[in-house]
Amino acid sequence: MSAYQERGFVVLRALFDAEEIESLRTAFARDAQEPGPHRVQEDGTGELRAVYASHQRQPAFDSLIRSPRMLGPARQLVSPDVYMYQFKINSKPAFSGGGWSWHEDFIAWRAADDLPEPRLLNVALFLDDATEHNGPVIFLPGSHRRGGSDSRFRSEATLSGEHVDPHEIALGRDEMRELVARHGMESAKGPAGSVVLFHPQLVHGSATNMSPLPRRLLIATYNDVRNQPPLTRQVRPDYLVGRDTRALRSDDESRTISDGDLIR
Ligand code: HL5
Ligand code: SIN
Ligand code: MN
């Protein structure tokens, strides 16, 4: 908990085993065939960039978000009562997966959804090994504490009712130079099955994947049930912003998290 508060992220090594990851990959392959607006393609190549809300279509992901290994940290770090605000899998395929511009998530959610406060947790699960070669997420440690999320993008017309791509809210070069001088950069690496917990105000981004290995990353974002977007505003579709705001409860499961799981 203190590492999370200090740095804004922690990596938990191999919380899920090879068999569990294989069955999640299979469920993702099946889900990726389902047409609809929840499927985002890369500009140019048309390859799969991201799929939203697989937990609404695939039982494997519905039970995953209730697993104590995913839900437990959110209940501990955010609130005992959390629900699924957003669920996505960024597919970053081998040779061509596109990058994600430098950004802070809460800026997007405040601008697009009027989300009141950053009382959320991103729980990211590696569906592939994440190495220096396949476009891992790069964090600026401690940048979630830099204070005052940028409000530039507040009611900008560029924010359509749909998926906000980080390039629409990208931090500028001068700002990034200063932030990196102060916080440095660290990429989140680890074997498939590892989990990264990261704060909604932590600055992050990632490069393209030119390696022959895919980098599928599942991100479940839990929100405090008392921090919902106001109903006065046109709410984005359910595949982007969850409408089922009932507090999630764990299925019973023996595997929980201990200090030994921490990479650092
Ligand atoms: N794609 C998300 C959304 O809400 C926002 C980004 O990484 C999260 C910035 O549409
Ligand atoms: C990435 O998949 O590399 C970026 C993830 C994110 O911005 O949430
Ligand atoms: Mn993000």
Side-chain angles (χ1 to χ4, degrees), residues 49 52 86 88-92 98-101 103-105 109 122 124 134-139 166 198 204-207 215-219 221:
R49 178 162 171 80
Y52 282 82
Q86 186 171 89
K88 58 180 174 274
I89 298 172
N90 293 340
S91 66
K92 206 176 265 201
W100 299 84
S101 302
H103 69 283
E104 171 203 312
D105 292 347
W109 296 328
N122 288 308
N134 62 353
V137 183
I138 304 171
F139 294 115
F198 71 97
H204 60 287
S206 67
R215 193 231 60 179
R216 288 162 287 190
L217 182 68
L218 179 160
I219 305 180
T221 304

Side-chain angles (χ1 to χ4, degrees), residues 59-204:
F61 295 120
D62 180 67
S63 81
L64 178 73
I65 63 168
R66 292 159 211 279
S67 154
R69 286 170 282 171
M70 300 284 287
L71 176 58
R75 297 186 68 201
Q76 193 177 8
L77 294 171
V78 177
S79 152
D81 297 323
V82 292
Y83 71 97
M84 191 55 23
Y85 181 74
Q86 186 171 89
F87 181 105
K88 58 180 174 274
I89 298 172
N90 293 340
S91 66
K92 206 176 265 201
F95 295 113
S96 61
W100 299 84
S101 302
W102 293 116
H103 69 283
E104 171 203 312
D105 292 347
F106 183 61
I107 290 177
W109 296 328
R110 197 182 46 186
D113 309 323
D114 270 341
L115 190 69
E117 285 182 52
R119 295 211 301 273
L120 311 90
L121 180 70
N122 288 308
V123 181
L125 169 60
F126 297 173
L127 297 183
D128 293 294
D129 295 348
T131 69
E132 66 267 46
H133 306 128
N134 62 353
V137 183
I138 304 171
F139 294 115
L140 273 56
S143 58
H144 64 304
R145 293 191 281 119
R146 72 197 186 284
S149 305
D150 196 324
S151 56
R152 233 175 328 172
F153 303 98
R154 197 140 195 157
S155 46
E156 265 190 22
T158 53
L159 297 174
S160 58
E162 303 295 318
H163 150 83
V164 178
D165 195 279
H167 74 74
E168 298 177 65
I169 52 162
L171 301 175
R173 291 183 178 190
D174 290 341
E175 195 173 2
M176 281 306 299
R177 261 190 282 272
E178 276 173 37
L179 285 168
V180 168
R182 190 169 325 134
H183 299 283
M185 294 181 280
E186 198 173 307
S187 50
K189 293 182 280 192
S194 301
V195 165
V196 185
L197 312 174
F198 71 97
H199 192 281
Q201 288 174 299
L202 190 69
V203 175
H204 60 287

